[in-house]
Amino acid sequence: MARPKALAEGEDVGGIASDRLRSLIERIERLEEERKALADDIKDIFAEAKSAGFDVKVLRQVLRVRKMEPAEFEEQQTLLDLYLRALGM
């Protein structure tokens, strides 16, 4: 597939400002790179926690709970308790 010809600085194509479009695309690309770097950092921290003897599944649950509103957490705990009792656990 042939590569499209380069546009002159500030040239519009079909009513689209090429400089603005390029700027938006490049910003998105930079943020995606940052997101990947952050995800890698988080993965490393989970690996560190695991090697220190922490249960990664439980850590993820703790993180999820910390994001909740207290009332939402209380409701989920109440339902969990109810369901477990209903199952005889």
Side-chain angles (χ1 to χ4, degrees):
M1 177 181 267
R3 186 177 177 141
K5 72 175 184 92
L7 298 174
E9 189 78 21
E11 185 176 346
D12 287 359
V13 176
I16 297 174
S18 61
D19 287 345
R20 178 72 172 139
L21 178 60
R22 183 175 292 107
S23 172
L24 292 169
I25 294 297
E26 289 171 354
R27 285 171 51 201
I28 292 168
E29 288 171 340
R30 279 192 303 274
L31 289 171
E32 286 178 342
E33 288 172 11
E34 289 177 27
R35 178 172 43 190
K36 184 186 180 322
L38 288 171
D40 289 343
D41 290 346
I42 292 169
K43 182 178 168 184
D44 291 344
I45 293 169
F46 277 119
E48 178 183 340
K50 184 176 181 176
S51 70
F54 293 100
D55 186 315
V56 173
K57 287 182 182 180
V58 174
L59 289 178
R60 290 184 189 278
Q61 287 177 321
V62 169
L63 290 168
R64 190 170 49 250
V65 165
R66 287 173 54 100
K67 292 177 187 177
M68 290 181 185
E69 294 294 325
E72 180 185 6
F73 174 71
E74 185 65 35
E75 180 182 354
Q76 283 196 1
Q77 287 298 107
T78 300
L79 286 172
L80 176 60
D81 183 52
L82 177 66
Y83 291 176
L84 291 175
R85 282 188 288 127
L87 294 171
M89 300 176 76

